[in-house]
Protein backbone atom coordinates (compact mmCIF):
# COMPACT_ATOMS: atom_id res chain seq x y z
CA UNK A 1 0.00 0.00 0.00
CA UNK A 2 1.59 3.24 -1.10
CA UNK A 3 2.13 6.06 1.38
CA UNK A 4 0.27 8.44 -0.95
CA UNK A 5 -2.95 6.60 -0.13
CA UNK A 6 -2.69 7.69 3.49
CA UNK A 7 -2.18 11.31 2.47
CA UNK A 8 -5.13 11.18 0.06
CA UNK A 9 -7.41 9.89 2.78
CA UNK A 10 -6.08 12.37 5.28
CA UNK A 11 -6.55 15.25 2.86
CA UNK A 12 -10.04 14.08 1.97
CA UNK A 13 -10.93 14.04 5.64
CA UNK A 14 -9.48 17.49 6.16
CA UNK A 15 -11.14 18.91 3.06
CA UNK A 16 -14.49 18.15 4.63
CA UNK A 17 -13.40 19.85 7.85
CA UNK A 18 -15.83 18.98 10.54
CA UNK A 19 -17.58 22.07 11.77
CA UNK A 20 -20.85 22.98 13.29
CA UNK A 21 -23.34 23.61 10.53
CA UNK A 22 -24.16 27.30 10.77
CA UNK A 23 -27.32 28.85 9.28
CA UNK A 24 -27.39 32.46 8.17
CA UNK A 25 -30.33 34.66 7.26
CA UNK A 26 -30.03 37.39 4.68
CA UNK A 27 -30.86 38.66 1.23
CA UNK A 28 -29.72 36.53 -1.72
CA UNK A 29 -30.21 36.80 -5.47
CA UNK A 30 -32.74 34.52 -7.16
CA UNK A 31 -34.54 34.49 -10.49
CA UNK A 32 -37.32 36.41 -8.74
CA UNK A 33 -34.89 39.08 -7.49
CA UNK A 34 -33.21 39.61 -4.14
CA UNK A 35 -35.12 37.65 -1.50
CA UNK A 36 -34.70 36.74 2.14
CA UNK A 37 -33.13 33.29 2.43
CA UNK A 38 -31.58 30.75 4.74
CA UNK A 39 -27.94 30.06 3.81
CA UNK A 40 -25.54 27.36 4.96
CA UNK A 41 -22.35 25.58 3.92
CA UNK A 42 -22.10 21.93 2.88
CA UNK A 43 -18.64 20.44 3.40
CA UNK A 44 -16.82 17.85 1.31
CA UNK A 45 -19.36 17.62 -1.52
CA UNK A 46 -19.57 18.81 -5.09
CA UNK A 47 -22.27 21.15 -6.35
CA UNK A 48 -23.75 18.37 -8.46
CA UNK A 49 -24.01 15.99 -5.50
CA UNK A 50 -25.62 18.62 -3.28
CA UNK A 51 -28.12 19.56 -5.98
CA UNK A 52 -29.13 15.95 -6.55
CA UNK A 53 -29.60 15.28 -2.84
CA UNK A 54 -31.55 18.51 -2.28
CA UNK A 55 -33.77 17.70 -5.25
CA UNK A 56 -34.46 14.31 -3.72
CA UNK A 57 -35.27 15.98 -0.38
CA UNK A 58 -37.76 18.36 -1.98
CA UNK A 59 -39.40 15.48 -3.85
CA UNK A 60 -40.02 13.75 -0.52
CA UNK A 61 -42.57 16.48 0.16
CA UNK A 62 -45.78 16.58 -1.81
CA UNK A 63 -45.19 18.92 -4.75
CA UNK A 64 -46.31 19.77 -8.26
CA UNK A 65 -42.80 19.66 -9.69
CA UNK A 66 -39.16 20.17 -8.85
CA UNK A 67 -37.00 21.46 -11.66
CA UNK A 68 -33.53 22.91 -11.90
CA UNK A 69 -30.94 24.38 -14.22
CA UNK A 70 -27.29 25.25 -13.63
CA UNK A 71 -28.28 28.44 -11.80
CA UNK A 72 -31.29 27.59 -9.63
CA UNK A 73 -33.57 24.85 -8.35
CA UNK A 74 -37.31 25.47 -8.06
CA UNK A 75 -39.77 23.47 -5.99
CA UNK A 76 -43.29 24.34 -7.11
CA UNK A 77 -46.12 24.18 -4.58
CA UNK A 78 -44.23 22.14 -2.03
CA UNK A 79 -46.47 21.04 0.83
CA UNK A 80 -44.65 21.18 4.17
CA UNK A 81 -47.26 19.79 6.54
CA UNK A 82 -45.69 21.51 9.56
CA UNK A 83 -46.38 24.82 7.81
CA UNK A 84 -50.07 23.97 7.43
CA UNK A 85 -52.16 23.24 4.36
CA UNK A 86 -50.82 26.00 2.17
CA UNK A 87 -48.01 24.93 -0.20
CA UNK A 88 -44.93 27.09 -0.71
CA UNK A 89 -42.52 27.68 -3.55
CA UNK A 90 -38.88 26.95 -2.68
CA UNK A 91 -36.01 28.56 -4.58
CA UNK A 92 -32.45 27.32 -4.06
CA UNK A 93 -29.10 28.42 -5.47
CA UNK A 94 -25.69 26.80 -4.99
CA UNK A 95 -22.17 28.26 -5.03
CA UNK A 96 -19.29 25.80 -5.26
CA UNK A 97 -15.72 26.29 -4.01
CA UNK A 98 -13.90 23.39 -5.66
CA UNK A 99 -10.58 24.13 -3.96
CA UNK A 100 -12.06 23.85 -0.47
CA UNK A 101 -14.73 21.32 -1.50
CA UNK A 102 -17.58 23.37 -0.08
CA UNK A 103 -20.97 24.37 -1.45
CA UNK A 104 -22.83 27.47 -0.27
CA UNK A 105 -26.55 26.79 -0.38
CA UNK A 106 -29.20 29.56 -0.30
CA UNK A 107 -32.86 28.63 0.21
CA UNK A 108 -35.79 31.04 -0.08
CA UNK A 109 -39.36 30.08 0.87
CA UNK A 110 -42.11 31.93 -1.02
CA UNK A 111 -45.21 31.73 1.16
CA UNK A 112 -47.34 33.26 -1.58
CA UNK A 113 -46.59 36.92 -2.02
CA UNK A 114 -44.12 37.16 0.87
CA UNK A 115 -40.83 35.40 1.53
CA UNK A 116 -40.17 33.69 4.84
CA UNK A 117 -38.44 35.85 7.46
CA UNK A 118 -37.57 35.05 11.06
CA UNK A 119 -38.83 38.44 12.20
CA UNK A 120 -42.27 37.85 10.68
CA UNK A 121 -42.96 34.11 10.78
CA UNK A 122 -40.86 32.79 13.67
CA UNK A 123 -42.52 29.37 13.94
CA UNK A 124 -42.38 28.60 10.23
CA UNK A 125 -38.86 29.98 10.03
CA UNK A 126 -37.73 27.56 12.77
CA UNK A 127 -39.26 24.67 10.81
CA UNK A 128 -37.53 25.81 7.61
CA UNK A 129 -34.24 26.18 9.49
CA UNK A 130 -34.53 22.60 10.71
CA UNK A 131 -35.18 21.30 7.19
CA UNK A 132 -32.11 23.09 5.82
CA UNK A 133 -29.88 22.25 8.77
CA UNK A 134 -30.87 18.57 8.85
CA UNK A 135 -30.06 18.38 5.16
CA UNK A 136 -26.70 20.13 5.57
CA UNK A 137 -25.71 17.96 8.53
CA UNK A 138 -26.70 14.71 6.83
CA UNK A 139 -25.03 15.60 3.53
CA UNK A 140 -21.79 16.57 5.25
CA UNK A 141 -21.89 13.50 7.49
CA UNK A 142 -22.52 11.21 4.52
CA UNK A 143 -19.21 12.34 3.01
CA UNK A 144 -17.35 12.02 6.29
CA UNK A 145 -18.83 8.57 6.89
CA UNK A 146 -17.41 7.48 3.52
CA UNK A 147 -14.04 8.87 4.61
CA UNK A 148 -14.24 6.88 7.84
CA UNK A 149 -15.13 3.66 6.02
CA UNK A 150 -12.42 4.16 3.40
CA UNK A 151 -9.83 4.88 6.09
CA UNK A 152 -10.93 1.80 8.05
CA UNK A 153 -10.63 -0.32 4.92
CA UNK A 154 -7.06 0.86 4.42
CA UNK A 155 -6.32 0.15 8.08
CA UNK A 156 -7.82 -3.33 7.76
CA UNK A 157 -5.72 -4.02 4.65
CA UNK A 158 -2.57 -2.91 6.46
CA UNK A 159 -3.40 -5.07 9.47
CA UNK A 160 -4.00 -8.07 7.21
CA UNK A 161 -0.65 -7.39 5.54
CA UNK A 162 0.95 -7.31 8.99
CA UNK A 163 -0.59 -10.66 9.90
CA UNK A 164 0.73 -12.07 6.64
CA UNK A 165 4.23 -10.83 7.47
CA UNK A 166 4.02 -12.34 10.94
CA UNK A 167 2.96 -15.69 9.47
CA UNK A 168 5.77 -15.51 6.93
CA UNK A 169 8.25 -14.74 9.72
CA UNK A 170 7.13 -17.78 11.70
CA UNK A 171 7.64 -19.91 8.60
CA UNK A 172 11.17 -18.57 8.14
CA UNK A 173 11.96 -19.14 11.81
CA UNK A 174 10.61 -22.68 11.50
CA UNK A 175 12.73 -23.32 8.38
CA UNK A 176 15.87 -22.10 10.12
CA UNK A 177 15.15 -24.24 13.20
CA UNK A 178 14.37 -27.30 11.06
CA UNK A 179 17.62 -26.99 9.13
CA UNK A 180 19.54 -26.50 12.36
CA UNK A 181 18.03 -29.74 13.68
CA UNK A 182 19.10 -31.46 10.46
CA UNK A 183 22.66 -30.16 10.95
CA UNK A 184 22.72 -31.50 14.50
CA UNK A 185 21.49 -34.89 13.31
CA UNK A 186 24.01 -34.94 10.46
CA UNK A 187 26.83 -34.06 12.85
CA UNK A 188 25.83 -36.97 15.08
CA UNK A 189 25.78 -39.27 12.05
CA UNK A 190 29.25 -38.07 11.02
CA UNK A 191 30.61 -38.93 14.47
CA UNK A 192 29.10 -42.40 14.17
CA UNK A 193 30.34 -42.85 10.59
CA UNK A 194 33.86 -41.72 11.53
CA UNK A 195 33.86 -44.19 14.40
CA UNK A 196 32.75 -46.90 11.98
CA UNK A 197 35.49 -45.80 9.56
CA UNK A 198 38.14 -46.11 12.28
CA UNK A 199 36.95 -49.64 13.06
CA UNK A 200 36.86 -50.48 9.38
CA UNK A 201 40.44 -49.27 8.90
CA UNK A 202 41.51 -51.51 11.74
CA UNK A 203 39.66 -54.45 10.17
CA UNK A 204 41.33 -53.69 6.83
CA UNK A 205 44.78 -53.57 8.42
CA UNK A 206 44.14 -56.92 10.10
CA UNK A 207 42.82 -58.41 6.86
CA UNK A 208 45.80 -57.09 4.91
CA UNK A 209 48.04 -59.12 7.27
CA UNK A 210 45.86 -62.14 6.66
CA UNK A 211 46.17 -61.63 2.92
CA UNK A 212 49.91 -61.29 3.28
CA UNK A 213 50.14 -64.40 5.40
CA UNK A 214 48.08 -66.39 2.89
CA UNK A 215 50.53 -65.73 0.06
CA UNK A 216 51.73 -69.05 -1.21
CA UNK A 217 48.85 -70.84 0.49
CA UNK A 218 46.37 -72.98 -1.36
CA UNK A 219 44.50 -71.02 -4.05
CA UNK A 220 41.06 -71.14 -2.39
CA UNK A 221 42.35 -69.78 0.93
CA UNK A 222 44.15 -66.90 -0.80
CA UNK A 223 41.10 -66.01 -2.87
CA UNK A 224 38.89 -65.99 0.24
CA UNK A 225 41.25 -63.69 2.12
CA UNK A 226 41.41 -61.36 -0.88
CA UNK A 227 37.63 -61.21 -1.22
CA UNK A 228 37.21 -60.29 2.43
CA UNK A 229 39.80 -57.55 1.99
CA UNK A 230 38.07 -56.15 -1.07
CA UNK A 231 34.72 -56.22 0.71
CA UNK A 232 36.16 -54.29 3.63
CA UNK A 233 37.61 -51.71 1.23
CA UNK A 234 34.23 -51.23 -0.42
CA UNK A 235 32.60 -50.79 2.99
CA UNK A 236 35.25 -48.20 3.87
CA UNK A 237 34.64 -46.33 0.61
CA UNK A 238 30.88 -46.38 1.24
CA UNK A 239 31.38 -44.94 4.73
CA UNK A 240 33.63 -42.22 3.32
CA UNK A 241 30.95 -41.31 0.75
CA UNK A 242 28.37 -41.19 3.53
CA UNK A 243 30.53 -38.76 5.49
CA UNK A 244 31.10 -36.61 2.37
CA UNK A 245 27.37 -36.52 1.68
CA UNK A 246 26.61 -35.61 5.30
CA UNK A 247 29.14 -32.75 5.13
CA UNK A 248 27.60 -31.61 1.83
CA UNK A 249 24.15 -31.71 3.43
CA UNK A 250 25.41 -29.62 6.34
CA UNK A 251 26.70 -27.01 3.86
CA UNK A 252 23.29 -27.01 2.16
CA UNK A 253 21.46 -26.70 5.50
CA UNK A 254 23.73 -23.80 6.51
CA UNK A 255 22.99 -22.06 3.21
CA UNK A 256 19.26 -22.47 3.81
CA UNK A 257 19.63 -21.13 7.35
CA UNK A 258 21.54 -18.11 6.05
CA UNK A 259 18.83 -17.47 3.45
CA UNK A 260 16.10 -17.80 6.10
CA UNK A 261 17.97 -15.43 8.43
CA UNK A 262 18.22 -12.91 5.60
CA UNK A 263 14.50 -13.31 4.97
CA UNK A 264 13.77 -12.86 8.69
CA UNK A 265 15.79 -9.64 8.81
CA UNK A 266 14.02 -8.26 5.74
CA UNK A 267 10.64 -9.41 7.10
CA UNK A 268 11.21 -7.71 10.45
CA UNK A 269 12.13 -4.45 8.69
CA UNK A 270 8.93 -4.69 6.62
CA UNK A 271 6.94 -5.41 9.77
CA UNK A 272 8.33 -2.30 11.41
CA UNK A 273 7.38 -0.17 8.40
CA UNK A 274 3.95 -1.77 8.35
CA UNK A 275 3.42 -1.04 12.06
CA UNK A 276 4.32 2.59 11.47
CA UNK A 277 1.89 2.72 8.55
CA UNK A 278 -0.83 1.16 10.71
CA UNK A 279 -0.23 3.72 13.48
CA UNK A 280 -0.38 6.53 10.93
CA UNK A 281 -3.58 5.12 9.42
CA UNK A 282 -5.17 4.74 12.86
CA UNK A 283 -4.68 8.47 13.29
CA UNK A 284 -6.34 9.07 9.91
CA UNK A 285 -9.29 6.94 11.09
CA UNK A 286 -9.46 8.77 14.44
CA UNK A 287 -9.31 12.16 12.71
CA UNK A 288 -12.06 11.12 10.29
CA UNK A 289 -14.25 9.94 13.17
CA UNK A 290 -13.56 13.11 15.14
CA UNK A 291 -14.50 15.18 12.10
CA UNK A 292 -17.72 13.19 11.74
CA UNK A 293 -18.62 13.58 15.40
CA UNK A 294 -18.11 17.36 15.31
CA UNK A 295 -20.76 17.91 12.64
CA UNK A 296 -24.09 19.00 14.08
Amino acid sequence: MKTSVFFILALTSMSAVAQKVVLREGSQKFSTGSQNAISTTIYGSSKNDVQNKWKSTLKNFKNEKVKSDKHEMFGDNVLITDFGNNPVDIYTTFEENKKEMTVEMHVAFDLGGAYLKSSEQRDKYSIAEKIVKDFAVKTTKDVLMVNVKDAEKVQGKLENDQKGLEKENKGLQSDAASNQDKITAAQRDIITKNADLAKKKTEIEVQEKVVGASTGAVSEQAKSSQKIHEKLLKQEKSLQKDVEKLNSNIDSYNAKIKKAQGGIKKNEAEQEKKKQAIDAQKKVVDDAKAALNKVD
Side-chain angles (χ1 to χ4, degrees), residues 4-22:
S4 59
V5 174
F6 308 128
F7 288 116
I8 290 171
L9 287 173
L11 289 172
T12 303
S13 297
M14 293 308 295
S15 68
V17 176
Q19 300 182 21
K20 291 180 71 68
V21 172
V22 177

Side-chain angles (χ1 to χ4, degrees), residues 6-262:
F6 308 128
F7 288 116
I8 290 171
L9 287 173
L11 289 172
T12 303
S13 297
M14 293 308 295
S15 68
V17 176
Q19 300 182 21
K20 291 180 71 68
V21 172
V22 177
L23 301 183
R24 305 176 298 279
E25 182 180 10
S27 180
Q28 298 293 335
K29 290 182 179 179
F30 296 92
S31 58
T32 57
S34 294
Q35 309 295 349
N36 196 66
I38 300 172
S39 300
T40 191
T41 302
I42 311 294
Y43 297 92
S45 290
S46 68
K47 179 180 177 180
N48 187 59
D49 287 342
V50 174
Q51 285 178 320
N52 288 337
K53 290 179 180 180
W54 181 241
K55 188 173 186 177
S56 178
T57 297
L58 292 182
K59 284 186 174 181
N60 286 334
F61 295 101
K62 185 178 179 181
N63 64 86
E64 289 190 11
K65 60 184 176 181
V66 176
K67 63 179 183 179
S68 61
D69 55 35
K70 63 180 181 179
H71 300 295
E72 184 178 83
M73 185 176 297
F74 172 59
D76 187 19
N77 285 331
V78 178
L79 182 61
I80 302 173
T81 54
D82 290 338
F83 274 20
N85 296 322
N86 295 322
V88 298
D89 290 339
I90 300 177
Y91 296 87
T92 312
T93 60
F94 308 87
E95 299 172 24
E96 182 176 24
N97 185 325
K98 291 184 178 181
K99 183 178 180 180
E100 295 185 5
M101 287 186 68
T102 60
V103 177
E104 291 289 322
M105 177 176 167
H106 311 290
V107 190
F109 295 80
D110 182 0
L111 304 179
Y115 281 78
L116 183 63
K117 292 183 179 180
S118 61
S119 59
E120 297 175 3
Q121 301 93 5
R122 183 67 253 176
D123 291 345
K124 289 184 177 180
Y125 189 86
S126 295
I127 294 168
E129 271 191 322
K130 186 176 186 308
I131 292 171
V132 175
K133 183 170 184 178
D134 286 351
F135 172 79
V137 168
K138 185 180 185 306
T139 303
T140 298
K141 280 191 171 185
D142 284 348
V143 174
L144 291 172
M145 182 59 73
V146 170
N147 285 352
V148 170
K149 290 181 179 179
D150 286 347
E152 287 176 335
K153 284 180 181 178
V154 173
Q155 181 181 329
K157 175 65 168 58
L158 289 170
E159 289 172 343
N160 285 336
D161 289 346
Q162 177 68 13
K163 289 178 182 177
L165 286 171
E166 290 172 356
K167 184 177 180 180
E168 178 187 333
N169 193 278
K170 287 181 180 178
L172 291 168
Q173 296 278 4
S174 178
D175 287 345
S178 175
N179 282 293
Q180 185 58 58
D181 290 341
K182 290 177 182 178
I183 288 174
T184 301
Q187 288 171 336
R188 284 198 301 264
D189 288 344
I190 287 173
I191 292 171
T192 301
K193 295 289 183 181
N194 281 331
D196 291 341
L197 267 172
K199 291 179 182 179
K200 196 61 63 178
K201 286 181 183 297
T202 300
E203 291 178 12
I204 290 170
E205 289 172 358
V206 170
Q207 189 61 29
E208 283 175 347
K209 290 178 181 179
V210 172
V211 171
S214 65
T215 301
V218 293
S219 179
E220 291 301 320
Q221 184 180 355
K223 287 181 179 179
S224 177
S225 297
Q226 188 62 37
K227 284 182 178 179
I228 293 172
H229 181 253
E230 290 173 353
K231 182 179 180 181
L232 290 171
L233 288 174
K234 286 181 179 179
Q235 291 174 343
E236 180 189 37
K237 189 174 183 179
S238 177
L239 286 169
Q240 288 171 339
K241 285 184 177 179
D242 287 345
V243 171
E244 289 174 1
K245 185 175 181 180
L246 287 167
N247 280 315
S248 177
N249 287 343
I250 288 173
D251 290 341
S252 176
Y253 298 147
N254 276 319
K256 289 177 180 178
I257 289 173
K258 186 176 180 180
K259 183 178 179 180
Q261 289 173 336

